[in-house]
Amino acid sequence: MVKKKKKRAQTTMRLNILFLFVFLLFSMLILQLGVVQILNGEEARERLNQTENAKASVAVPRGLIYDADYNLVVDNEPVRSITYTPPKNGDSHRTKIELAESLAQMMEMAPNLDELKALVNERDKKEFWYVYDADNRKLIEERLPETDEELSASELYQLQLDLIEPEDYNYFDWNDPYRLNVAIIKKELDQAMELSPHIIKNENVTDEEYARVSENLSQLPGIDAKIDWNRVYPFNDTFRSFIGNVSDADKGIPRENQDYYLNLGYSWNDRVGESGLEAQYEDVLRGQKEVIQYTINNEGDIVGTKTVQQGQAGSDLVLTIDMDFQQALDEIVKDELEKYIAQDPYRNRHMEDALVAVLDPQTGEVLGMTAAHYDREENTYTNQPHRVVYDAHIPGSSVKGATVLTGYQTGVIDIGTVLNDRPIKIAGTPLKKSWRTFGLINDLRALEQSSNVYMFEIAMRIATARYSYNEPLRSFDTSSFQTMRNYFQQFGLGSKTGIDLPFEATGYVGTNIIDGGLLLDFAIGQYDTYTTLQLAQYVSTIANDGYRLAPHIVKEQRQANGDKATLGPIVNSQSPQLLNKIDMDERYIERVQQGFRLAATSGTGRGHWANNPYNVAIKTGTAQNEFFVDGEKQYTNNLTLVGYAPYEEPELAFAIIVPRAGVGNDQNGIHHNIGNRLIDAYFDIKEQKATNN
Amino acid sequence: MQKKLPIDYTIVFILGCLFVISLLAIYSGSGQYAFDDPTYFIKRQLVFIVLGFIVMMVVAMFDFELLEKWTWLFYIAGLGLLALVEVIGIERNGSQRWIDLKVTEIQPSEFMKIFLVLHIAMILSKIGKYRLDFKESLFVFMKIMVYMTIPLYLIWRQPDLGTTLMILFSVAALLLISSLSLKLLGILTGIGLTGMGTLVYLFMYRRDILDEFVAPHQMARIYGWLDPETYSRGFGYQLQQALLGIGSGQLSGSGYREGYQVQSGHIPEAHTDFIFAVIGEEFGFIGTSILVVLFFLLIYRIITIALQANSLFGMYICVGVISLLTFQVFQNIGMTIGLMPITGLALPFVSYGGSALLTNMMAIGLVTSVHLRTKSYMFGNDEDE
């Protein structure tokens, strides 16, 4: 009995231990369940509900550009394209092959068999065969040699491709156009990135192909038939370099500014204005893409779509430029340049540019800008209007209006101040004089006759310098350079004009401020350089009674209405933009205006301008432009001309620069000819249009 | 006595609850596999349940004491079936475990585990209640090892890591509860612990050695279990998805047939191995704890029967059944909540599948038989031996 009791107790105890063990195990389960479901449950639920929003954009047509007369300057030409947008995480090879097989029945990737064959190389055939079937992949994997070498993914892939023999991929008939099309389309599909449309074909998509694909879109997941556009320019290269360029879909947004564009909601392959007005007015022209938001759950399935932003086609631009006038201007400038070079090829051997800017002085509207450029080696003349804002030249006497006004404004001269025009000799510099020694002359005659010495006197007075013949300038105030430049900048000389272009040059600013002789040179436009547009703004400011306006090329922004013949409502109209007003009594400006008028009627330009019927006011300039070619000093002149007409109520102001003209009186006609002809052309076209209407 | 059905009402009640949960979960979890008939799986499972009850009652009606003489026959039959798997077995998911009977498929390893437990129970009960000395114990132990190793090797080869481990666990439980010498048991425990320690060490520091012995797919499952985030596209994926689903069930669940992970097909084998994930996601912590408690009550009931049993053979049978059930429940639930690596073990009475259900019902039948015989003894004169 005793033994039995002991045994019983033993078994019971062992079973109880077993029971305790089971109890512990089950407690662990409950405990872990508590951790998973209660403690971490919230997090798990959130992770399950976690969705990602991906946005996809649909491009809208870019805005068109019209000239002042509402003729199309930049048009959109529709281009049909077939695109493929892979889903999140991409499609499988199998799906893509099936897609390619469907598409190959609807479209041709090249017009004939030879061209199709040219698009499929051996590697393409291998890759196509390799991904076509899982058995093929298995076959190649079996062929892989045993190796301990660690291969990178790309090395392994290359090795696998090397193992594919012609008898493998020749399983397909590579003379069959259908098979070739499938392979080419498959290759395009492979290049697409998830959720981003990739163009499969956008050249020569026929009506039939487009229709067939469009009708079957529902059976072609990810495929879309779209109409894209290309920029076309009905006026060819007229004003072309100001219009600028738009990147293509391959290039997309500029990489150097990618963050800027990405922040603005661009995607990598968005087309964007790269230069000129296309870049300047990018935000207007691009419009607003339609943005569709896809909601994607944690497994990459799209569970919802929503249009978060309605698309809006880009607004159209209307230019201040009348393309008839612009074309006439191009023709005049090219014609004159060609004529003068042909007339004296040796003396004009360095002449290769003629630049013109024409503004409406009352509004700042750019009426025309042109630059003809002669390529001596190619013996061709090209239209390079951007030089008007990019290239700066020494202007010569054209700036004397600014010098005289600076004299008035600093109080060193007044209306009617008489000064002695005689040769000036500063120790260590060449003799400085006017083209003729005028003796005692007043401000008006100084402008009319383009007296250099009058300007030197103004500069010396501003610099508080005491002059004695062949002695250095004494008590020269070096801050006078800055003083004069500050006044010049009020006219736009040496400052930005504020034109609506992404870039403009401001010219060279001399750095030597100790040499008083250079200040004298500055006063007659022989030191700092200016662009043609700066000169045009300067004369325009004088013509406009001291109001400096920012030149602009775009007059209006109009809402796109989908119709090229009529314009949509005005979204934004560019009113004259006042940069500054010359801070002085109006009679001073009138005095300079009189001087400019006299220059045309009885002064330096008399011979060229006396008979012009449009009451022109001008100021000429002949800047010595010396430079070295092969160690030999070359003497040329920059011929400049600024002016406006009509004198009483100016409608146009212009600046003309013909750099590096040959030295001699023969050449002096070119800028005057251009000036005369452009004024004639302007008023002719104006009259013609008035009668037509 | 004779008019009563050969059942234990407590056990049947618990089983009934489990089957209700099972049918609900299978219906919800099999949606993704059922193409035409959404009730395909539960209809078949219902048939298995009915069959299971019949098997249970038939087994319970037999006097288990009679089995004692015939365990070797079952053992041989089980071995035969396992050998047959080697020859004509069908392969699925990389394992060759099933024999196609045209009507259904059977998994001999399922039956083998019961037969082996029976056989070992018989051997141990022969020892009697007195503790053996070390030498005698060693002899018995070696004998048991031989009986165990042959089927275990065949199962290991299939490969079926889950069943292998289950059998090891059960045999260990039987040995520990037996009357073998404490010294031997101590040594065995020591060896066992050292072995496990070595495995852990190898896994942590010398994986290259381990790779020699463990199939890559088994290693991958262990990696997946230890680091589901990193391996979330491989084997850890199943675990990751199951964990997310169960976790998202929180306290009260997402609602019946509303579990996102289950219904969207992210949880693999949702009606078989991963059925616990269905319950966890759709019924929440409340559902899972009820299920765990049901299993615990079932085992508690069997322990009670074992405690009352006045036959050593009966007691060992109960212990064998307890260990088999405990291991399956702990392993299956444990793997879906990240406590254990993933193996292909079903949740007893709940997962879809005929072989496992029939074997488990057979096991319950044996326990019932032990219980019924105990009762009949109580009316008899059994106080003295």
Side-chain angles (χ1 to χ4, degrees):
Chain A
M1 272 317 269
V2 174
K3 257 187 186 172
K4 192 177 169 188
K5 278 233 160 101
K6 191 183 161 202
K7 277 176 289 185
R8 280 270 171 163
Q10 214 178 34
T11 321
T12 309
M13 194 188 72
R14 284 187 241 157
L15 280 172
N16 278 330
I17 291 173
L18 180 70
F19 180 64
L20 183 71
F21 182 63
V22 172
F23 177 77
L24 285 176
L25 284 181
F26 278 59
S27 303
M28 268 171 75
L29 285 182
I30 298 274
L31 202 68
Q32 175 74 357
L33 278 170
V35 171
V36 170
Q37 297 193 290
I38 307 297
L39 279 184
N40 302 334
E42 189 65 41
E43 196 191 322
R45 167 136 298 183
E46 272 166 23
R47 280 190 57 185
L48 271 196
N49 293 341
Q50 194 177 52
T51 54
E52 195 184 327
N53 291 329
K55 284 180 182 166
S57 310
V58 181
V60 292
R62 197 172 173 85
L64 307 174
I65 302 179
Y66 295 86
D67 82 342
D69 222 16
Y70 304 129
N71 299 306
L72 260 180
V73 175
V74 181
D75 195 359
N76 287 335
E77 180 187 65
V79 181
R80 292 194 198 89
S81 60
I82 310 292
T83 64
Y84 167 60
T85 311
K88 183 93 180 162
N89 297 328
D91 271 327
S92 68
H93 280 300
R94 192 64 242 161
T95 311
K96 284 191 276 192
I97 285 170
E98 279 161 17
L99 259 184
E101 285 175 340
S102 305
L103 282 172
Q105 291 165 6
M106 302 174 194
M107 59 196 259
E108 301 269 333
M109 294 302 282
N112 56 53
L113 188 60
D114 287 338
E115 282 183 49
L116 280 174
K117 278 184 178 173
L119 288 171
V120 182
N121 59 31
E122 194 191 2
R123 187 186 168 96
D124 297 334
K125 291 176 186 173
K126 283 182 173 181
E127 286 185 335
F128 184 79
W129 178 84
Y130 183 67
V131 299
Y132 191 80
D133 197 330
D135 288 343
N136 296 348
R137 290 194 285 278
K138 216 179 260 176
L139 192 69
I140 295 306
E141 258 153 47
E142 281 164 12
R143 284 188 207 166
L144 280 176
E146 291 274 335
T147 173
D148 294 335
E149 221 177 313
E150 291 256 334
L151 290 173
S152 71
S154 61
E155 282 169 342
L156 180 67
Y157 185 59
Q158 186 56 50
L159 182 65
Q160 287 170 332
L161 285 186
D162 292 342
L163 289 169
I164 301 174
E165 302 294 335
E167 47 265 34
D168 293 327
Y169 60 74
N170 283 335
Y171 165 80
F172 297 109
D173 177 7
W174 294 110
N175 289 315
D176 177 8
Y178 167 73
R179 182 54 56 198
L180 290 165
N181 274 315
V182 172
I184 298 165
I185 294 170
K186 170 71 173 50
K187 199 159 71 166
E188 289 291 341
L189 298 183
D190 286 339
Q191 286 169 22
M193 310 242 277
E194 59 177 38
L195 298 178
S196 178
H198 175 83
I199 293 169
I200 301 172
K201 182 178 179 184
N202 69 346
E203 278 170 23
N204 309 318
V205 177
T206 66
D207 287 343
E208 226 186 359
E209 288 174 339
Y210 188 77
R212 259 184 259 153
V213 174
S214 307
E215 283 160 14
N216 290 299
L217 287 181
S218 59
Q219 278 102 58
L220 301 167
I223 300 294
D224 205 353
K226 283 185 196 166
I227 300 199
D228 196 17
W229 45 266
N230 269 345
R231 287 302 227 193
V232 284
Y233 307 95
F235 287 92
N236 302 319
D237 68 341
T238 305
F239 213 59
R240 183 70 183 78
S241 58
F242 284 120
I243 290 166
N245 288 319
V246 181
S247 68
D248 60 23
D250 285 342
K251 193 171 174 195
I253 57 172
R255 294 299 180 256
E256 65 273 15
N257 266 336
Q258 59 188 45
D259 291 342
Y260 169 79
Y261 285 102
L262 291 174
N263 280 340
L264 285 177
Y266 285 82
S267 46
W268 289 101
N269 58 351
D270 273 349
R271 303 177 62 180
V272 56
E274 292 179 309
S275 56
L277 294 173
E278 296 274 21
Q280 182 74 18
Y281 288 94
E282 170 65 20
D283 57 334
V284 179
L285 290 167
R286 70 183 279 223
Q288 202 176 46
K289 289 190 286 188
E290 181 172 284
V291 179
I292 299 166
Q293 180 175 290
Y294 296 103
T295 309
I296 295 159
N297 66 12
N298 69 336
E299 280 306 304
D301 307 318
I302 293 176
V303 292
T305 57
K306 191 173 82 176
T307 302
V308 289
Q309 181 182 284
Q310 289 294 335
Q312 169 72 54
S315 293
D316 299 337
L317 298 182
V318 177
L319 303 184
T320 58
I321 308 281
D322 179 338
M323 288 304 266
D324 290 332
F325 178 63
Q326 177 67 36
Q327 278 179 316
L329 204 57
D330 287 350
E331 184 52 37
I332 291 166
V333 173
K334 184 192 149 223
D335 184 49
E336 290 293 330
L337 184 65
E338 203 172 350
K339 190 169 86 188
Y340 274 84
I341 289 173
Q343 191 173 295
D344 197 341
Y346 177 72
R347 219 191 279 237
N348 289 329
R349 65 189 179 281
H350 298 299
M351 191 196 259
E352 53 191 15
D353 290 299
L355 312 96
V356 178
V358 187
L359 305 177
D360 179 340
Q362 312 212 19
T363 60
E365 289 182 1
V366 177
L367 300 177
M369 287 192 285
T370 191
H373 178 76
Y374 175 55
D375 186 326
R376 239 174 210 91
E377 289 183 1
E378 301 277 320
N379 191 24
T380 51
Y381 288 85
T382 51
N383 185 12
Q384 301 187 346
H386 56 276
R387 287 175 181 272
V388 171
V389 293
Y390 281 31
D391 291 1
H393 298 280
I394 298 177
S397 308
S398 299
V399 299
K400 283 176 180 166
T403 311
V404 171
L405 279 164
T406 303
Y408 294 145
Q409 221 168 349
T410 51
V412 298
I413 57 164
D414 207 331
I415 290 172
T417 297
V418 175
L419 296 170
N420 186 14
D421 182 321
R422 78 287 183 200
I424 300 276
K425 177 75 178 114
I426 298 169
T429 67
L431 190 70
K432 293 176 183 292
K433 57 188 178 109
S434 300
W435 61 278
R436 206 182 91 194
T437 302
F438 294 107
L440 293 176
I441 56 167
N442 68 5
D443 48 348
L444 212 52
R445 270 208 84 205
L447 286 174
E448 180 197 33
Q449 296 300 334
S450 198
S451 161
N452 284 350
V453 179
Y454 199 93
M455 307 302 146
F456 296 155
E457 284 290 345
I458 292 171
M460 289 192 288
R461 288 181 177 201
I462 289 170
T464 65
R466 276 176 313 172
Y467 163 73
S468 305
Y469 191 82
N470 210 13
E471 302 259 339
L473 284 177
R474 293 183 203 287
S475 76
F476 179 78
D477 179 1
T478 53
S479 73
S480 54
F481 274 102
Q482 197 53 52
T483 309
M484 287 200 80
R485 282 185 178 129
N486 286 347
Y487 284 109
F488 271 47
Q489 282 173 9
Q490 292 184 58
F491 301 94
L493 295 172
S495 59
K496 288 203 166 179
T497 63
I499 192 166
D500 49 352
L501 285 171
F503 177 82
E504 61 169 313
T506 51
Y508 165 81
V509 177
T511 49
N512 185 336
I513 55 160
I514 296 176
D515 185 347
L518 292 174
L519 185 72
L520 272 51
D521 291 341
F522 178 87
I524 58 165
Q526 281 285 149
Y527 192 33
D528 285 0
T529 67
Y530 308 116
T531 66
T532 317
L533 186 67
Q534 285 176 320
L535 286 178
Q537 188 178 44
Y538 142 75
V539 72
S540 181
T541 305
I542 289 170
N544 196 30
D545 301 329
Y547 292 90
R548 182 163 81 104
L549 304 177
H552 58 270
I553 303 174
V554 171
K555 189 160 66 173
E556 293 163 0
Q557 297 166 15
R558 284 174 179 262
Q559 195 180 312
N561 62 353
D563 177 11
K564 289 171 188 175
T566 63
L567 284 116
I570 293 179
V571 183
N572 189 3
S573 181
Q574 181 64 55
S575 49
Q577 191 193 346
L578 180 66
L579 296 173
N580 59 280
K581 159 97 172 71
I582 310 298
D583 186 21
M584 64 200 308
D585 200 292
E586 208 156 283
R587 63 200 171 97
Y588 290 110
I589 298 190
E590 279 168 13
R591 185 77 173 173
V592 174
Q593 289 169 348
Q594 283 171 31
F596 279 18
R597 176 66 184 140
L598 286 175
T601 53
S602 54
T604 47
R606 186 182 65 234
H608 295 283
W609 291 94
N611 295 329
N612 187 297
Y614 298 108
N615 296 345
V616 184
I618 59 155
K619 182 73 201 78
T620 57
T622 306
Q624 290 160 27
N625 188 357
E626 292 154 10
F627 53 93
F628 290 88
V629 173
D630 299 331
E632 196 182 329
K633 197 168 191 179
Q634 308 288 317
Y635 295 90
T636 65
N637 287 332
N638 286 355
L639 301 176
T640 63
L641 179 71
V642 298
Y644 57 91
Y647 171 66
E648 300 78 13
E649 190 62 40
E651 287 181 36
L652 79 163
F654 58 87
I656 301 164
I657 302 183
V658 182
R660 299 186 170 183
V663 177
N665 283 333
D666 298 351
Q667 305 353 302
N668 290 352
I670 180 166
H671 48 318
H672 292 293
N673 285 359
I674 293 172
N676 267 298
R677 286 179 68 183
L678 81 83
I679 289 170
D680 288 348
Y682 175 81
F683 287 106
D684 282 354
I685 290 167
K686 187 184 163 191
E687 201 180 325
Q688 201 184 322
K689 296 210 164 160
T691 42
N692 283 354
N693 292 345
Chain B
M1 240 354 261
Q2 303 297 339
K3 287 168 195 167
K4 277 195 174 177
L5 280 172
I7 52 175
D8 178 87
Y9 287 100
T10 314
I11 289 181
V12 169
F13 174 75
I14 294 170
L15 288 183
C17 293
L18 287 174
F19 287 139
V20 170
I21 294 175
S22 164
L23 290 174
L24 286 173
I26 288 170
Y27 184 69
S28 177
S30 64
Q32 44 181 310
Y33 306 105
F35 301 106
D36 309 319
D37 180 7
T39 59
Y40 174 84
F41 287 101
I42 53 164
K43 274 196 279 192
R44 290 175 69 89
Q45 186 70 358
L46 254 174
V47 172
F48 288 131
I49 289 171
V50 173
L51 276 176
F53 270 116
I54 293 169
V55 167
M56 179 191 82
M57 288 190 284
V58 169
V59 173
M61 276 194 293
F62 276 105
D63 184 348
F64 71 96
E65 301 275 14
L66 299 177
L67 283 174
E68 210 167 342
K69 295 190 179 70
W70 302 103
T71 52
W72 62 272
L73 239 173
F74 288 107
Y75 178 80
I76 296 293
L79 272 187
L81 282 174
L82 277 180
L84 212 57
V85 172
E86 285 276 311
V87 188
I88 60 158
I90 45 177
E91 188 179 315
R92 209 182 293 149
N93 300 334
S95 296
Q96 191 166 335
R97 297 180 194 171
W98 295 269
I99 293 176
D100 192 354
L101 296 183
K102 301 300 167 202
V103 189
T104 184
E105 289 158 10
I106 60 160
Q107 194 179 335
S109 56
E110 287 286 341
F111 299 105
M112 189 64 219
K113 68 190 186 200
I114 294 285
F115 299 157
L116 186 66
V117 162
L118 267 179
H119 195 59
I120 293 173
M122 183 273 290
I123 296 170
L124 289 175
S125 65
K126 282 270 164 63
I127 303 166
K129 293 175 182 174
Y130 302 97
R131 252 194 208 291
L132 296 182
D133 64 25
F134 185 75
K135 240 182 183 169
E136 290 165 328
S137 297
L138 199 62
F139 176 71
V140 175
F141 173 71
M142 294 312 287
K143 196 161 122 189
I144 289 173
M145 281 300 106
V146 171
Y147 280 118
M148 180 190 79
T149 309
I150 300 167
L152 205 60
Y153 174 72
L154 289 171
I155 293 169
W156 165 263
R157 265 171 59 90
Q158 289 179 348
D160 186 347
L161 184 66
T163 309
T164 310
L165 291 175
M166 184 184 351
I167 289 174
L168 278 173
F169 181 84
S170 295
V171 173
L174 283 168
L175 287 175
L176 287 175
I177 222 106
S178 73
S179 311
L180 291 182
S181 124
L182 283 175
K183 187 176 162 195
L184 178 69
L185 292 180
I187 290 171
L188 287 177
T189 310
I191 291 173
L193 290 178
T194 314
M196 271 160 68
T198 312
L199 274 178
V200 171
Y201 168 79
L202 286 177
F203 186 82
M204 304 289 252
Y205 304 107
R206 297 300 302 271
R207 220 165 281 181
D208 47 330
I209 298 177
L210 211 56
D211 284 340
E212 299 277 315
F213 300 99
V214 185
H217 85 272
Q218 288 167 341
M219 279 305 279
R221 282 175 173 183
I222 296 175
Y223 296 148
W225 163 52
L226 290 174
D227 190 1
E229 295 282 342
T230 310
Y231 289 84
S232 74
R233 283 286 149 194
F235 290 92
Y237 178 80
Q238 302 174 347
L239 177 56
Q240 178 78 7
Q241 297 301 325
L243 269 178
L244 266 183
I246 295 170
S248 72
Q250 290 174 287
L251 183 65
S252 53
S254 313
Y256 185 54
R257 290 174 65 74
E258 298 286 331
Y260 172 78
Q261 288 293 88
V262 172
Q263 303 305 331
S264 63
H266 286 117
I267 294 178
E269 313 279 328
H271 62 311
T272 58
D273 290 358
F274 275 90
I275 194 138
F276 187 76
V278 180
I279 297 155
E281 184 172 12
E282 302 194 345
F283 300 110
F285 182 70
I286 295 174
T288 54
S289 3
I290 288 175
L291 187 68
V292 173
V293 167
L294 281 173
F295 279 120
F296 183 71
L297 290 177
L298 180 65
I299 286 161
Y300 176 73
R301 176 66 192 147
I302 301 173
I303 294 249
T304 316
I305 291 172
L307 280 169
Q308 291 169 350
N310 28 29
S311 148
L312 260 184
F313 183 46
M315 185 204 77
Y316 283 126
I317 288 175
C318 290
V319 169
V321 171
I322 288 167
S323 57
L324 285 177
L325 286 180
T326 304
F327 185 83
Q328 287 182 79
V329 170
F330 186 75
Q331 163 60 34
N332 181 279
I333 296 179
M335 79 176 178
T336 52
I337 57 177
L339 277 178
M340 299 290 282
I342 294 173
T343 58
L345 275 191
L347 189 59
F349 309 112
V350 181
S351 287
Y352 172 82
S355 293
L357 183 63
L358 291 182
T359 351
N360 286 324
M361 290 305 272
M362 212 182 276
I364 295 295
L366 285 169
V367 171
T368 312
S369 176
V370 173
H371 177 54
L372 293 178
R373 303 313 142 207
T374 303
K375 271 183 179 168
S376 63
Y377 279 173
M378 281 169 76
F379 289 101
N381 185 14
D382 67 318
E383 281 301 307
D384 295 323
E385 257 185 277

